[in-house]
Amino acid sequence: NSMEDRHVNEYEAADYTGYAVSTLRNYRATNQGPPYYKLNRCVRYSLKDLREWIGKRRVTPGGES
């Protein structure tokens, strides 16, 4: 598996994104955050999904894309 295919827990996802674990939990509860997998009680995020989700939040000064 490449690093891109790796799945991480919510603590690793928080470290990767810079968001607090509590923020990611709130995002899950309100359907605002990055996509995630629920395996029984375990929440996992794909690094690819996190990277794409972060990329969608890119702001370019002046409104250019």
Side-chain angles (χ1 to χ4, degrees):
N1 281 347
S2 72
M3 188 69 152
E4 184 90 352
D5 295 333
R6 191 165 159 241
H7 289 80
V8 297
N9 64 36
E10 64 183 347
Y11 297 96
E12 293 168 309
D15 186 53
Y16 185 84
T17 62
Y19 286 89
V21 171
S22 60
T23 300
L24 291 176
R25 288 176 180 167
N26 286 336
Y27 281 171
R28 287 197 307 270
T30 58
N31 295 314
Q32 297 179 41
Y36 63 94
Y37 297 89
K38 188 80 181 251
L39 308 169
N40 293 322
R41 292 185 184 180
C42 299
V43 172
R44 295 291 181 263
Y45 293 91
S46 119
L47 288 180
K48 179 181 177 186
D49 287 343
L50 291 175
R51 187 173 53 83
E52 290 174 2
W53 184 74
I54 291 168
K56 291 177 185 173
R57 273 133 195 85
R58 181 179 179 202
V59 175
T60 305
E64 298 175 13
S65 299

